[in-house]
Amino acid sequence: MERTLVLVKPDGVQRGMVGEIISRLERRGIKLVALKMMLVDQALAHRHYGEHEGKPFFQGLVDFITSSPLVAMIWEADDVVEIVRGTMGQTNPKNAAPGTIRGDLGVNIGRNLVHGSDSPESAQREVALFFKEGEILDYNRNNDPWITEP
């Protein structure tokens, strides 16, 4: 079973899109195993966006993610990284397909509402940045046999 990190970024929180985003992911059939609202400090922002350090847009990413609360979540399913990325749509909302979160709700690449890990390896690293092991739940859902074959 794979896990991925999803962040409803400050613009999504400020626009009141948290419920819409969670609902879209739940309707895909993937399982929510951790959720919290938080303020990201400079240190966490630098660790999260570390791969972009030194690039011209790095400070803008840090400033934005620390500007307001966000909602951090962990979702679980087979191939969940791919499922979430498809549900979110292209990074630039102008290129995102209708029916995706960004395609339906976003208009600007700098305010694209949501972050999702881009690979299983990134997901492991990002989950560890935002959550402690005790914050992640392991539970059974009664509807799982109706979502995936055993």
Side-chain angles (χ1 to χ4, degrees):
M1 195 64 62
E2 188 175 88
R3 289 180 175 164
T4 193
L5 179 78
V6 174
L7 303 176
V8 178
K9 297 194 280 188
D11 56 325
V13 172
Q14 291 292 331
R15 290 180 54 195
M17 297 289 174
V18 175
E20 173 75 18
I21 291 166
I22 291 172
S23 180
R24 286 175 181 236
L25 294 169
E26 283 183 320
R27 286 193 309 254
R28 288 299 310 263
I30 61 178
K31 183 165 78 172
L32 180 63
V33 296
L35 170 81
K36 65 182 170 182
M37 186 175 217
M38 62 188 291
L39 289 169
V40 172
D41 62 21
Q42 291 283 320
L44 177 54
H46 279 259
R47 288 192 308 273
H48 180 62
Y49 288 125
E51 67 193 63
H52 300 301
E53 199 154 2
K55 296 178 182 170
F57 56 85
F58 174 73
Q59 193 58 49
L61 291 173
V62 170
D63 291 344
F64 177 62
I65 201 111
T66 60
S67 67
S68 179
L70 58 71
V71 172
M73 301 174 276
I74 301 172
W75 293 86
E76 184 178 88
D78 291 332
D79 302 314
V80 73
V81 170
E82 184 179 343
I83 292 167
V84 167
R85 302 234 7 124
T87 305
M88 291 187 323
Q90 294 287 320
T91 302
N92 188 337
K94 291 188 297 188
N95 302 327
T100 64
I101 292 167
R102 292 174 176 149
D104 291 348
L105 307 173
V107 294
N108 181 277
I109 193 168
R111 301 290 184 266
N112 65 5
L113 304 167
V114 66
H115 164 83
S117 303
D118 63 6
S119 69
E121 298 76 26
S122 292
Q124 286 183 334
R125 182 183 66 79
E126 292 176 349
V127 162
L129 286 174
F130 285 85
F131 289 90
K132 299 175 188 132
E133 192 58 39
E135 296 175 313
I136 304 169
L137 301 179
D138 183 20
Y139 65 98
N140 293 318
R141 294 184 305 181
N142 293 333
N143 65 344
D144 282 342
W146 299 103
I147 297 170
T148 59
E149 291 181 311

